[in-house]
């Protein structure tokens, strides 16, 4: 098992229940989302004598599932992986669909592969202790999924998120529905050659913002989801100003940022180097209306 040290106690409980034979705690976060961490996990697997029948269980948020997924895909040319996501972002997005990856220099998820997890175990009670901004980061991905796939679930989610007291049972139901939408898209296009691009709504801008903040050593950077929220609004502004206005007010009510924090021309180098681009230039995912997405 590989787990985020921040959830050590919870990971210990999972380890006991699942008969884990060896475990490695790592410091999750963007700073550790690199090939060195992947190498560390592979060394840990070697030191345990893990063979190709081993299953690597990752407990933590998106960075943990991403690095563990890549380590599992590479170790001895591939072993099985399974996830216990502990953040809303990983419960909605990162743990599902088989994408893994690490950053290279300032560029997000530049090195990675596909490996579908054997299973994902979701326990919404983990979210009760998640810091507010981390929670909102996942909330942005939840809203994104419904903007892609279902207008009424989008409205229902805004209603749940804007309340001070989160209704966890209702949220769990919505997360399950968002996962079903994501998995339908992934089933149609597992290797991200077309339909799956839709899941990158807002991400061209988001990755550019994250690149800019990394490059300029911004002290208090946006979370991934916060950057995605801003990116979705930018994307909507490109084709439907009235939708952009609605999203701006919904996202603000949920506690998400909505304004582009850096000049657009300074984000261009990152957009030009985005891994989603094809030969024709920067590839944006556009939202014309809710559930009307093109790429
Ligand atoms: N997070 C986007 C995807 O899984 O394709």
């Amino acid at each position: 098992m590989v787990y985020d040290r921040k959830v050590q106690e919870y990971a210990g409980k999972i380890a006991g229940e699942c008969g884990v034979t060896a475990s490695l705690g790592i410091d999750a976060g963007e700073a550790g989302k690199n090939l060195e961490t992947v190498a560390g996990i592979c060394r840990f697997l070697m030191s345990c004598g893990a063979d190709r029948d081993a299953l690597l269980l990752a407990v933590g948020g998106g960075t943990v599932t991403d690095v563990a997924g890549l380590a599992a895909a590479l170790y001895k040319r591939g072993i099985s992986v399974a996830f216990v996501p502990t953040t809303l972002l990983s419960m909605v997005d990162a743990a599902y669909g088989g994408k893994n990856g690490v950053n290279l220099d300032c560029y997000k998820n530049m090195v990675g592969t596909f490996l579908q997890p054997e299973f994902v175990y979701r326990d919404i009670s983990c979210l009760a202790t998640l810091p507010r901004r981390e929670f909102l980061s996942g909330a942005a991905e939840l809203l994104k999924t419904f903007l892609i796939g279902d207008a009424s679930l989008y409205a229902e989610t805004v209603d749940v998120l804007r309340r001070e007291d989160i209704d966890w049972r209702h949220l769990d139901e919505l997360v399950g529905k968002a996962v079903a939408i994501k998995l339908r898209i992934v089933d149609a296009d597992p290797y991200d050659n077309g339909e799956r691009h839709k899941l990158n709504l807002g991400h061209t801008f988001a990755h550019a913002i994250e690149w800019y903040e990394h490059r300029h050593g911004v002290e208090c950077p946006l979370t991934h989801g916060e950057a995605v929220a801003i990116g979705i609004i930018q994307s909507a502004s490109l084709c439907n100003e009235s939708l952009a206005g609605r999203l701006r007010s919904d996202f603000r009510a949920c506690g998400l940022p909505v304004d582009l924090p850096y000049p657009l021309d300074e984000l261009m180098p990152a957009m030009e180097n985005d891994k989603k681009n094809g030969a024709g230039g920067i590839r944006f995912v556009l939202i014309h209306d809710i559930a009307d997405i093109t790429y």
Side-chain angles (χ1 to χ4, degrees), residues 2-3 27 48 50 79 111 128 132 139 141 145 152-154 164 169-170 197 201 205 212 248 270-271 284 294:
V2 176
Y3 64 92
D27 293 317
C48 306
I79 61 170
V111 180
R132 174 89 181 141
E141 293 281 3
T145 309
S152 70
L153 288 173
Y154 168 76
E164 288 267 305
R169 191 201 49 77
H170 195 172
H197 294 341
L201 176 64
F205 282 102
Y212 179 95
R248 210 172 263 124
M271 295 208 239
F284 285 109
T294 56

Side-chain angles (χ1 to χ4, degrees), residues 93-94 96-99 114 141 144 182 185-186 192 196-197 199-200 203 224:
D93 190 45
Y96 295 91
K99 276 188 186 174
F114 294 90
E141 293 281 3
K144 176 206 78 177
K182 172 162 184 175
I185 294 171
V186 170
D192 204 7
R196 190 167 178 172
H197 294 341
L199 292 170
N200 286 322
H203 282 65
H224 177 65

Side-chain angles (χ1 to χ4, degrees), residues 26-88:
I26 61 173
D27 293 317
E30 283 302 310
K33 195 174 166 183
N34 53 41
L35 286 168
E36 204 34 62
T37 304
V38 172
I41 297 171
C42 290
R43 286 191 193 100
F44 159 70
L45 290 166
M46 265 170 71
S47 74
C48 306
D51 59 24
R52 294 200 61 200
D53 292 330
L55 179 127
L56 181 62
L57 183 65
V59 181
T63 45
V64 174
T65 56
D66 274 10
V67 292
L70 184 54
L74 296 175
Y75 179 71
K76 297 195 172 174
R77 297 205 177 86
I79 61 170
S80 300
V81 72
F83 299 136
V84 180
T86 58
T87 63
L88 182 55

Side-chain angles (χ1 to χ4, degrees), residues 259-281:
D259 297 317
L260 198 61
Y262 310 111
L264 191 55
D265 58 334
E266 298 204 33
L267 303 178
M268 285 312 282
M271 295 208 239
E272 278 156 5
N273 206 24
D274 195 280
K275 66 184 180 313
K276 295 184 292 302
N277 294 342

